[in-house]
Every structure is written in C-alpha cells, then in structure tokens.
Amino acid sequence: MNNSPISSSSLPEDFLYGVATAAYQIEGAADVDGRGPSVWDDFSHTPGKVVNNDNGDVACDHYNRWESDLDLIKQLNVDAYRFSFSWSRILPQGVGRINEKGIEFYDRLLDGCLARELKPFATLFHWDLPSALQQHGGWTDRNTASAFADYAEIIATRFGDRLASLTTFNEPWCSSILGYLEGIHAPGHKDLDQAIKAIHYQHLGHGLAIERVKALKPNLPLGIVLNLQSVYPGTESEQDQQAAIRHEEFNNGAFLDPLFKGEYPSAFVKALGEKLPTQWQNDLKQIHQPLDFWGLNYYTPARVINNTNTNAAFPQSAAAPKDPNCAVTDIGWEINASTFQDLMIKVYERYTLPPCYITENGACFNDEPINGEINDDRRVQYLNDHIQAVANACNAGIPVKGYFAWSLMDNFEWAEGYTMRFGLVHVDYQTHIRTIKKSGHWFAALAQENSQS
Ligand code: IFM
C-alpha cells in the first residue's frame, strides 16, 4: 500500500464521514427504565463466557452521558453517527408492550443528533436479541423473523422521519455463526443445524422488515450491513485453493447470494441444504428485496487451508498458520489494507449491488494515556492505509459513499470484555472520562478537510 498521508481530496466530493457504536457495547443502564434482558446480558452474566466476566451493565454509561457523547462526536467533525437500537429497551419481551421510557431515550438521542446536524444512521439489530425470544429458540425459530418485522415497524413509525438511513442487521454472520455454531457469542450454542436455521431466519427477518418499513417510509434509505471476508488460500496448493473457494461460499455467499440474488450458493445447498428449514425455497423472494445501499464492515483478511479432518463439515476450511512476521493489531488480527481494496472490487465484479458505505473499519490498539495523551500512532497508520484503500476502490469505480470509523469510543468488545480497545476516544472505565486519542484528532482533521472542500 501507499503509506503517504491520505487527503480528503482523494475521495469523492460528497463523501460522508462518520463514527459508529452499538447499543449493548456502550449504553449500560441494563436494568434501568424498563429495559428487558437480552441474550448478551444472559451470556455475559454466565461465568467464563467473557474475559474477566465483564458485562454491559454499565458499559460506557452512554445512556446517561448521551448528550456529552454527541458533543464529542461533533468535535470529531463527522457528518454522521451510526448507532443501534436496543430491541429489548423498546420491547422488553421482544414483542407486545412498548416501553415508552425506551422510546424516550432514542427520542432524546435522535433530536440531539439533529440539533447538532449529525445524520443518524441507525441499525435495528446489533446482536442483543431480547431474552424472551431466545426462550423460544431465538433465530432458530421462524416466529423471531416476524417479531423482528413488527419491531422494525415500531422503529419506523416512531423514529423513521428523523433517520438518515436504517439497516436491518449488523453482521448477521456473527449472530448466526459465532452465536449458534462456534458458541463464542450469545447465545453460546455449538450446533450447525441451529446455525443454518439462524442464517435463514435472519435473512427472512431482513426481508420482512424491509418490505414493512418501505411501505411505511418510502423515502427512508434502507440497507443491511455485512462483514464480508477477503479470503486467500494459505498456500498455492490445489486443495487450499479449493478450500478458499468453499470458505468464501459459506461465509460470504450464504449471506450475499440470498440477499442480492435470491438464491443460496449451489455448493452450500448441496452440502447443507437439508439443514435449512423445510420449504426454504419459498422464502427466497421475500428475502431478496431491493435495497438503497448496503454496508461493509472490514478489519482483516481470512487466510485459509484445506481442513484434512474428514469429519469436518462444509466448508472444510481451517485458519492458515499465522505468519510470525506479519503485522497484527493488539487483538491479533493481520493488518493488510490492500486486502480491503481487493474485496471491494471483487464483490462488485461478482454481484449487482447498490451503493455501499463502509459502516465499520478500525483497529484494536490498547494504548493508555501518558501524561493525559493517547498517542495511538499505529491506529492512525491503520486508518490512513484503509481509507486510502477506499479511495483506490472509488477511483476504480466502486460506489463507496462514506466511511464510519469503528468505534467512536472504547467499549464492551463482546467476548473480549473491556480488554480490547477500538475507540478514537479513550474511555477510563473507572471514571468514564473520555479523552480524544491522537487518531480521533487525526480523523477530525480529515473530516474537517472534507467539509471545507
Ligand atoms: O466491536 C465489533 C462490532 O460490534 C462489530 N464489528 C466488529 C467490531 C470489532 O470486533
């Protein structure tokens, strides 16, 4: 990659800059004002599931500090704020009675965004499924898909006129694969049959919700956010190359194909089709909805080899051994911005897609304050190189409309608890004092340059 400093002039004129968060990761106030529990409350309160047994009970205390947090976002000179609604704050049981106190919180937040001329980019589901729905099987139950559409309708009715955009799911790969197959995210199950059903019913929930919201708010831009993998074979061997193709069909294709082509990849169907709900074919039309945009979240490439264990399920791939010389972030993820550029170009070659926002990109570096300053130069370099990759993709004709840094501030990093920091703003978890890091000042300067051009 070209490591020279990126300038806003390398990006399209109307390019949008933003910062992103998610409800469970920052809000706290888990038991306040009538919020119902979610699967992440249950999971994080189960000993041994999260590093240090951390949980989101208090998180960044954003529920109480939302106003100064919006001021902070404004200080970063960005155009937009991406956040998620907490389903169980709005509907404590997932369905039925609306919690007006929860509605009031998001009323305040949205009015606060608009008063500061920040465009609200909202997400309906960033993994915190109401526990009451998990008791009926969560995403393995078809009824959860219709409950999701009902919830979407409430959000559209109450908030739709104030939103700049609405996405259905954030990274449905994580809430199905990490949650129901690998067991490292809530609800913590390890069951391939459940994971395949969860993939399908999330897609169905998406399709039902898009149709419902479109009918109510035809001018509200609608989309979905995917964490696609940029996949490379670990070696040149034929077996590893085939494994990379299968890995991609499972991890990207099983999401992109139904959403954007109205079908599942044929190899996926051949290997795992019997695990899809009966008559899954009848849902494909509903799932395949026209979208105004989609969001791409990207952090690191996937390097895979053939899994020689003959009992391994499709896609029979495994992580390639790590190259000890390769640069990684503090969470151990390879840093390689050109793989981001490759992915943006490849996905538009393969699919007919609407315009894209980079809805998350960023890096975990656990720098702490020294004399009150956080000099996270490694994050500055990472962001610089990845935004340069976006500029290169735009120059190659890829319609990327904006870039959201993950994250506004350090927060509850799921199974890693509070040990992994992705923020542009440092959070002291004892005092909740926020301090803008060097990367935050750097990003603010880039965004400012854009608004002046
Ligand atoms: O913190 C997460 C976020 O919730 C979803 N995308 C990846 C981030 C970093 O792991």
Side-chain angles (χ1 to χ4, degrees):
M1 290 296 296
N2 171 0
N3 284 340
S4 60
I6 180 84
S7 144
S8 273
S9 59
S10 317
L11 288 147
E13 246 177 46
D14 54 353
F15 197 76
L16 178 137
Y17 290 87
V19 287
T21 65
Y24 192 74
Q25 294 182 273
I26 65 163
E27 283 182 4
D31 207 10
V32 171
D33 287 345
R35 176 184 178 274
S38 78
V39 291
W40 267 98
D41 296 277
D42 303 335
F43 188 73
S44 61
H45 280 267
T46 307
K49 297 294 184 192
V50 173
V51 173
N52 298 328
N53 291 324
D54 287 341
N55 59 57
D57 287 4
V58 179
C60 303
D61 194 31
H62 170 73
Y63 189 79
N64 295 309
R65 295 167 195 258
W66 64 271
E67 210 163 1
S68 47
D69 284 343
L70 291 183
D71 291 339
L72 201 52
I73 297 172
K74 201 61 198 162
Q75 271 180 270
L76 297 178
N77 298 328
V78 294
D79 313 292
Y81 175 43
R82 174 173 180 255
F83 69 98
S84 74
F85 289 104
S86 154
W87 186 344
S88 64
R89 207 181 276 293
I90 304 282
L91 292 157
Q93 296 297 313
V95 291
R97 183 183 61 80
I98 296 176
N99 176 31
E100 290 300 333
K101 290 268 185 209
I103 297 275
E104 284 163 24
F105 170 67
Y106 294 108
D107 272 336
R108 293 194 289 276
L109 187 71
L110 286 176
D111 291 344
C113 283
L114 298 182
R116 291 166 180 77
E117 296 185 331
L118 289 169
K119 294 185 171 65
F121 274 58
T123 301
L124 286 165
F125 183 72
H126 197 127
W127 311 348
D128 42 359
L129 185 76
S131 305
L133 297 180
Q134 189 58 46
Q135 280 157 21
H136 297 281
W139 287 113
T140 68
D141 178 14
R142 191 177 184 90
N143 292 325
T144 301
S146 45
F148 181 70
D150 294 344
Y151 159 57
E153 183 171 332
I154 292 166
I155 296 291
T157 308
R158 299 295 190 101
F159 307 112
D161 295 339
R162 284 171 282 173
L163 298 178
S165 80
L166 183 63
T167 54
T168 52
F169 285 78
N170 176 76
E171 304 181 354
W173 180 91
C174 293
S175 37
S176 48
I177 304 296
L178 300 183
Y180 289 87
L181 178 61
E182 296 188 11
I184 57 175
H185 277 191
H189 299 180
K190 292 185 180 172
D191 184 323
L192 181 60
D193 292 36
Q194 289 190 20
I196 301 301
K197 288 203 172 53
I199 290 174
H200 186 77
Y201 287 137
Q202 287 186 152
H203 290 336
L204 181 61
H206 160 84
L208 292 168
I210 292 286
E211 189 179 62
R212 203 82 80 76
V213 176
K214 202 55 165 180
L216 278 169
K217 302 283 169 195
N219 297 323
L220 175 59
L222 300 179
I224 187 167
V225 169
L226 302 176
N227 57 320
L228 299 183
Q229 300 189 14
S230 195
V231 183
Y232 301 86
T235 73
E236 296 291 299
S237 77
E238 180 60 21
Q239 288 96 325
D240 288 353
Q241 294 195 37
Q242 289 303 320
I245 292 170
R246 292 192 305 272
H247 187 87
E248 205 161 340
E249 276 177 326
F250 182 73
N251 293 288
N252 292 348
F255 295 84
L256 284 165
D257 288 30
L259 296 167
F260 294 107
K261 299 200 319 204
E263 62 192 35
Y264 282 102
S266 52
F268 174 86
V269 172
K270 194 163 168 229
L272 299 170
E274 62 176 21
K275 298 185 186 303
L276 284 164
T278 48
Q279 307 206 331
W280 54 270
Q281 295 88 341
N282 297 347
D283 294 329
L284 290 173
K285 194 161 171 275
Q286 181 70 57
I287 290 169
H288 180 207
Q289 296 288 330
L291 298 179
D292 301 297
F293 70 97
W294 68 291
L296 172 62
N297 291 358
Y298 190 76
Y299 293 87
T300 188
R303 301 195 189 274
V304 299
I305 55 173
N306 183 42
N307 188 343
T308 49
N309 175 354
T310 45
N311 291 326
F314 185 82
Q316 288 155 317
S317 56
K322 291 226 188 287
D323 171 356
N325 298 318
C326 127
V328 293
T329 62
D330 285 349
I331 203 171
W333 298 353
E334 177 182 342
I335 304 171
N336 190 324
S338 66
T339 62
F340 184 24
Q341 186 179 323
D342 288 355
L343 175 66
M344 287 180 269
I345 292 173
K346 188 153 90 176
V347 75
Y348 273 91
E349 274 166 11
R350 293 192 180 169
Y351 295 86
T352 303
L353 297 169
C356 169
Y357 288 92
I358 303 308
T359 32
E360 282 182 28
N361 175 243
C364 170
F365 289 114
N366 294 321
D367 303 285
E368 288 292 340
I370 298 174
N371 298 329
E373 287 183 0
I374 300 109
N375 288 315
D376 56 339
D377 294 295
R378 294 174 299 171
R379 183 175 286 102
V380 172
Q381 186 70 54
Y382 178 100
L383 295 175
N384 182 83
D385 295 350
H386 284 75
I387 297 172
Q388 181 66 56
V390 176
N392 296 347
C394 289
N395 284 333
I398 306 302
V400 185
K401 300 287 175 201
Y403 175 98
F404 290 80
W406 184 269
S407 174
L408 162 65
M409 58 187 156
D410 298 334
N411 58 49
F412 177 76
E413 176 54 24
W414 308 111
E416 305 294 341
Y418 295 100
T419 60
M420 295 292 159
R421 295 175 179 269
F422 280 82
L424 298 182
V425 174
H426 179 272
V427 177
D428 177 323
Y429 293 118
Q430 304 305 316
T431 60
H432 291 111
I433 288 174
R434 280 86 158 120
T435 309
I436 301 182
K437 301 178 190 178
K438 188 172 190 177
S439 59
H441 293 296
W442 176 87
F443 194 62
L446 184 72
Q448 174 73 8
E449 201 191 308
N450 182 53
S451 60
Q452 283 170 348
S453 64

mmCIF file with all atom_site columns, all heavy atoms in Angstrom, residues 39-51:
data_model
loop_
_atom_site.group_PDB
_atom_site.id
_atom_site.type_symbol
_atom_site.label_atom_id
_atom_site.label_alt_id
_atom_site.label_comp_id
_atom_site.label_asym_id
_atom_site.label_entity_id
_atom_site.label_seq_id
_atom_site.pdbx_PDB_ins_code
_atom_site.Cartn_x
_atom_site.Cartn_y
_atom_site.Cartn_z
_atom_site.occupancy
_atom_site.B_iso_or_equiv
_atom_site.pdbx_formal_charge
_atom_site.auth_seq_id
_atom_site.auth_comp_id
_atom_site.auth_asym_id
_atom_site.auth_atom_id
_atom_site.pdbx_PDB_model_num
ATOM 1   N N   . VAL A 1 39 ? -29.960 -11.482 25.120 1.00 0.00 ? 39 VAL A N   1
ATOM 2   C CA  . VAL A 1 39 ? -29.080 -12.657 25.185 1.00 0.00 ? 39 VAL A CA  1
ATOM 3   C C   . VAL A 1 39 ? -27.676 -12.274 25.645 1.00 0.00 ? 39 VAL A C   1
ATOM 4   O O   . VAL A 1 39 ? -26.979 -13.091 26.257 1.00 0.00 ? 39 VAL A O   1
ATOM 5   C CB  . VAL A 1 39 ? -29.001 -13.409 23.834 1.00 0.00 ? 39 VAL A CB  1
ATOM 6   C CG1 . VAL A 1 39 ? -30.321 -14.079 23.511 1.00 0.00 ? 39 VAL A CG1 1
ATOM 7   C CG2 . VAL A 1 39 ? -28.545 -12.506 22.697 1.00 0.00 ? 39 VAL A CG2 1
ATOM 8   N N   . TRP A 1 40 ? -27.267 -11.037 25.365 1.00 0.00 ? 40 TRP A N   1
ATOM 9   C CA  . TRP A 1 40 ? -25.921 -10.635 25.795 1.00 0.00 ? 40 TRP A CA  1
ATOM 10  C C   . TRP A 1 40 ? -25.849 -10.380 27.290 1.00 0.00 ? 40 TRP A C   1
ATOM 11  O O   . TRP A 1 40 ? -24.796 -10.548 27.902 1.00 0.00 ? 40 TRP A O   1
ATOM 12  C CB  . TRP A 1 40 ? -25.403 -9.458  24.953 1.00 0.00 ? 40 TRP A CB  1
ATOM 13  C CG  . TRP A 1 40 ? -24.610 -10.020 23.812 1.00 0.00 ? 40 TRP A CG  1
ATOM 14  C CD1 . TRP A 1 40 ? -25.037 -10.229 22.532 1.00 0.00 ? 40 TRP A CD1 1
ATOM 15  C CD2 . TRP A 1 40 ? -23.267 -10.543 23.877 1.00 0.00 ? 40 TRP A CD2 1
ATOM 16  N NE1 . TRP A 1 40 ? -24.043 -10.834 21.794 1.00 0.00 ? 40 TRP A NE1 1
ATOM 17  C CE2 . TRP A 1 40 ? -22.957 -11.039 22.595 1.00 0.00 ? 40 TRP A CE2 1
ATOM 18  C CE3 . TRP A 1 40 ? -22.311 -10.649 24.874 1.00 0.00 ? 40 TRP A CE3 1
ATOM 19  C CZ2 . TRP A 1 40 ? -21.714 -11.625 22.299 1.00 0.00 ? 40 TRP A CZ2 1
ATOM 20  C CZ3 . TRP A 1 40 ? -21.067 -11.230 24.580 1.00 0.00 ? 40 TRP A CZ3 1
ATOM 21  C CH2 . TRP A 1 40 ? -20.778 -11.709 23.303 1.00 0.00 ? 40 TRP A CH2 1
ATOM 22  N N   . ASP A 1 41 ? -26.978 -9.992  27.916 1.00 0.00 ? 41 ASP A N   1
ATOM 23  C CA  . ASP A 1 41 ? -26.984 -9.899  29.383 1.00 0.00 ? 41 ASP A CA  1
ATOM 24  C C   . ASP A 1 41 ? -26.813 -11.301 29.952 1.00 0.00 ? 41 ASP A C   1
ATOM 25  O O   . ASP A 1 41 ? -26.022 -11.538 30.864 1.00 0.00 ? 41 ASP A O   1
ATOM 26  C CB  . ASP A 1 41 ? -28.314 -9.299  29.876 1.00 0.00 ? 41 ASP A CB  1
ATOM 27  C CG  . ASP A 1 41 ? -28.501 -7.878  29.409 1.00 0.00 ? 41 ASP A CG  1
ATOM 28  O OD1 . ASP A 1 41 ? -27.974 -6.970  30.058 1.00 0.00 ? 41 ASP A OD1 1
ATOM 29  O OD2 . ASP A 1 41 ? -29.160 -7.678  28.359 1.00 0.00 ? 41 ASP A OD2 1
ATOM 30  N N   . ASP A 1 42 ? -27.576 -12.246 29.393 1.00 0.00 ? 42 ASP A N   1
ATOM 31  C CA  . ASP A 1 42 ? -27.541 -13.622 29.908 1.00 0.00 ? 42 ASP A CA  1
ATOM 32  C C   . ASP A 1 42 ? -26.153 -14.238 29.708 1.00 0.00 ? 42 ASP A C   1
ATOM 33  O O   . ASP A 1 42 ? -25.590 -14.847 30.614 1.00 0.00 ? 42 ASP A O   1
ATOM 34  C CB  . ASP A 1 42 ? -28.584 -14.494 29.184 1.00 0.00 ? 42 ASP A CB  1
ATOM 35  C CG  . ASP A 1 42 ? -29.985 -13.910 29.320 1.00 0.00 ? 42 ASP A CG  1
ATOM 36  O OD1 . ASP A 1 42 ? -30.221 -13.169 30.300 1.00 0.00 ? 42 ASP A OD1 1
ATOM 37  O OD2 . ASP A 1 42 ? -30.833 -14.166 28.438 1.00 0.00 ? 42 ASP A OD2 1
ATOM 38  N N   . PHE A 1 43 ? -25.613 -14.060 28.514 1.00 0.00 ? 43 PHE A N   1
ATOM 39  C CA  . PHE A 1 43 ? -24.330 -14.674 28.162 1.00 0.00 ? 43 PHE A CA  1
ATOM 40  C C   . PHE A 1 43 ? -23.206 -14.088 29.019 1.00 0.00 ? 43 PHE A C   1
ATOM 41  O O   . PHE A 1 43 ? -22.400 -14.821 29.595 1.00 0.00 ? 43 PHE A O   1
ATOM 42  C CB  . PHE A 1 43 ? -24.072 -14.412 26.678 1.00 0.00 ? 43 PHE A CB  1
ATOM 43  C CG  . PHE A 1 43 ? -22.896 -15.131 26.096 1.00 0.00 ? 43 PHE A CG  1
ATOM 44  C CD1 . PHE A 1 43 ? -22.930 -16.495 25.848 1.00 0.00 ? 43 PHE A CD1 1
ATOM 45  C CD2 . PHE A 1 43 ? -21.739 -14.426 25.754 1.00 0.00 ? 43 PHE A CD2 1
ATOM 46  C CE1 . PHE A 1 43 ? -21.842 -17.148 25.270 1.00 0.00 ? 43 PHE A CE1 1
ATOM 47  C CE2 . PHE A 1 43 ? -20.651 -15.075 25.181 1.00 0.00 ? 43 PHE A CE2 1
ATOM 48  C CZ  . PHE A 1 43 ? -20.704 -16.436 24.942 1.00 0.00 ? 43 PHE A CZ  1
ATOM 49  N N   . SER A 1 44 ? -23.182 -12.748 29.119 1.00 0.00 ? 44 SER A N   1
ATOM 50  C CA  . SER A 1 44 ? -22.063 -12.123 29.833 1.00 0.00 ? 44 SER A CA  1
ATOM 51  C C   . SER A 1 44 ? -22.167 -12.362 31.337 1.00 0.00 ? 44 SER A C   1
ATOM 52  O O   . SER A 1 44 ? -21.161 -12.290 32.048 1.00 0.00 ? 44 SER A O   1
ATOM 53  C CB  . SER A 1 44 ? -21.984 -10.626 29.522 1.00 0.00 ? 44 SER A CB  1
ATOM 54  O OG  . SER A 1 44 ? -23.155 -9.968  29.939 1.00 0.00 ? 44 SER A OG  1
ATOM 55  N N   . HIS A 1 45 ? -23.365 -12.674 31.820 1.00 0.00 ? 45 HIS A N   1
ATOM 56  C CA  . HIS A 1 45 ? -23.505 -12.975 33.249 1.00 0.00 ? 45 HIS A CA  1
ATOM 57  C C   . HIS A 1 45 ? -23.289 -14.462 33.542 1.00 0.00 ? 45 HIS A C   1
ATOM 58  O O   . HIS A 1 45 ? -23.416 -14.885 34.693 1.00 0.00 ? 45 HIS A O   1
ATOM 59  C CB  . HIS A 1 45 ? -24.876 -12.512 33.759 1.00 0.00 ? 45 HIS A CB  1
ATOM 60  C CG  . HIS A 1 45 ? -24.895 -11.032 34.040 1.00 0.00 ? 45 HIS A CG  1
ATOM 61  N ND1 . HIS A 1 45 ? -24.616 -10.513 35.282 1.00 0.00 ? 45 HIS A ND1 1
ATOM 62  C CD2 . HIS A 1 45 ? -25.103 -9.980  33.222 1.00 0.00 ? 45 HIS A CD2 1
ATOM 63  C CE1 . HIS A 1 45 ? -24.666 -9.182  35.218 1.00 0.00 ? 45 HIS A CE1 1
ATOM 64  N NE2 . HIS A 1 45 ? -24.969 -8.831  33.981 1.00 0.00 ? 45 HIS A NE2 1
ATOM 65  N N   . THR A 1 46 ? -23.004 -15.242 32.502 1.00 0.00 ? 46 THR A N   1
ATOM 66  C CA  . THR A 1 46 ? -22.667 -16.655 32.721 1.00 0.00 ? 46 THR A CA  1
ATOM 67  C C   . THR A 1 46 ? -21.156 -16.741 32.918 1.00 0.00 ? 46 THR A C   1
ATOM 68  O O   . THR A 1 46 ? -20.395 -16.368 32.013 1.00 0.00 ? 46 THR A O   1
ATOM 69  C CB  . THR A 1 46 ? -23.080 -17.505 31.489 1.00 0.00 ? 46 THR A CB  1
ATOM 70  O OG1 . THR A 1 46 ? -24.444 -17.232 31.212 1.00 0.00 ? 46 THR A OG1 1
ATOM 71  C CG2 . THR A 1 46 ? -22.866 -18.982 31.739 1.00 0.00 ? 46 THR A CG2 1
ATOM 72  N N   . PRO A 1 47 ? -20.697 -17.180 34.104 1.00 0.00 ? 47 PRO A N   1
ATOM 73  C CA  . PRO A 1 47 ? -19.248 -17.174 34.368 1.00 0.00 ? 47 PRO A CA  1
ATOM 74  C C   . PRO A 1 47 ? -18.459 -17.899 33.278 1.00 0.00 ? 47 PRO A C   1
ATOM 75  O O   . PRO A 1 47 ? -18.881 -18.950 32.792 1.00 0.00 ? 47 PRO A O   1
ATOM 76  C CB  . PRO A 1 47 ? -19.127 -17.902 35.717 1.00 0.00 ? 47 PRO A CB  1
ATOM 77  C CG  . PRO A 1 47 ? -20.471 -17.716 36.367 1.00 0.00 ? 47 PRO A CG  1
ATOM 78  C CD  . PRO A 1 47 ? -21.481 -17.677 35.241 1.00 0.00 ? 47 PRO A CD  1
ATOM 79  N N   . GLY A 1 48 ? -17.344 -17.286 32.900 1.00 0.00 ? 48 GLY A N   1
ATOM 80  C CA  . GLY A 1 48 ? -16.429 -17.912 31.955 1.00 0.00 ? 48 GLY A CA  1
ATOM 81  C C   . GLY A 1 48 ? -16.694 -17.603 30.492 1.00 0.00 ? 48 GLY A C   1
ATOM 82  O O   . GLY A 1 48 ? -15.913 -18.001 29.633 1.00 0.00 ? 48 GLY A O   1
ATOM 83  N N   . LYS A 1 49 ? -17.747 -16.894 30.184 1.00 0.00 ? 49 LYS A N   1
ATOM 84  C CA  . LYS A 1 49 ? -18.047 -16.645 28.769 1.00 0.00 ? 49 LYS A CA  1
ATOM 85  C C   . LYS A 1 49 ? -17.306 -15.421 28.221 1.00 0.00 ? 49 LYS A C   1
ATOM 86  O O   . LYS A 1 49 ? -17.006 -15.347 27.041 1.00 0.00 ? 49 LYS A O   1
ATOM 87  C CB  . LYS A 1 49 ? -19.559 -16.426 28.566 1.00 0.00 ? 49 LYS A CB  1
ATOM 88  C CG  . LYS A 1 49 ? -20.401 -17.644 28.924 1.00 0.00 ? 49 LYS A CG  1
ATOM 89  C CD  . LYS A 1 49 ? -20.125 -18.791 27.983 1.00 0.00 ? 49 LYS A CD  1
ATOM 90  C CE  . LYS A 1 49 ? -21.010 -19.979 28.254 1.00 0.00 ? 49 LYS A CE  1
ATOM 91  N NZ  . LYS A 1 49 ? -20.580 -21.185 27.551 1.00 0.00 ? 49 LYS A NZ  1
ATOM 92  N N   . VAL A 1 50 ? -17.075 -14.434 29.091 1.00 0.00 ? 50 VAL A N   1
ATOM 93  C CA  . VAL A 1 50 ? -16.439 -13.185 28.652 1.00 0.00 ? 50 VAL A CA  1
ATOM 94  C C   . VAL A 1 50 ? -15.184 -12.980 29.493 1.00 0.00 ? 50 VAL A C   1
ATOM 95  O O   . VAL A 1 50 ? -15.180 -13.293 30.699 1.00 0.00 ? 50 VAL A O   1
ATOM 96  C CB  . VAL A 1 50 ? -17.419 -11.995 28.842 1.00 0.00 ? 50 VAL A CB  1
ATOM 97  C CG1 . VAL A 1 50 ? -16.742 -10.664 28.567 1.00 0.00 ? 50 VAL A CG1 1
ATOM 98  C CG2 . VAL A 1 50 ? -18.652 -12.164 27.945 1.00 0.00 ? 50 VAL A CG2 1
ATOM 99  N N   . VAL A 1 51 ? -14.126 -12.480 28.872 1.00 0.00 ? 51 VAL A N   1
ATOM 100 C CA  . VAL A 1 51 ? -12.874 -12.231 29.597 1.00 0.00 ? 51 VAL A CA  1
ATOM 101 C C   . VAL A 1 51 ? -13.163 -11.397 30.850 1.00 0.00 ? 51 VAL A C   1
ATOM 102 O O   . VAL A 1 51 ? -13.909 -10.404 30.793 1.00 0.00 ? 51 VAL A O   1
ATOM 103 C CB  . VAL A 1 51 ? -11.861 -11.494 28.679 1.00 0.00 ? 51 VAL A CB  1
ATOM 104 C CG1 . VAL A 1 51 ? -10.613 -11.082 29.460 1.00 0.00 ? 51 VAL A CG1 1
ATOM 105 C CG2 . VAL A 1 51 ? -11.474 -12.363 27.493 1.00 0.00 ? 51 VAL A CG2 1
#
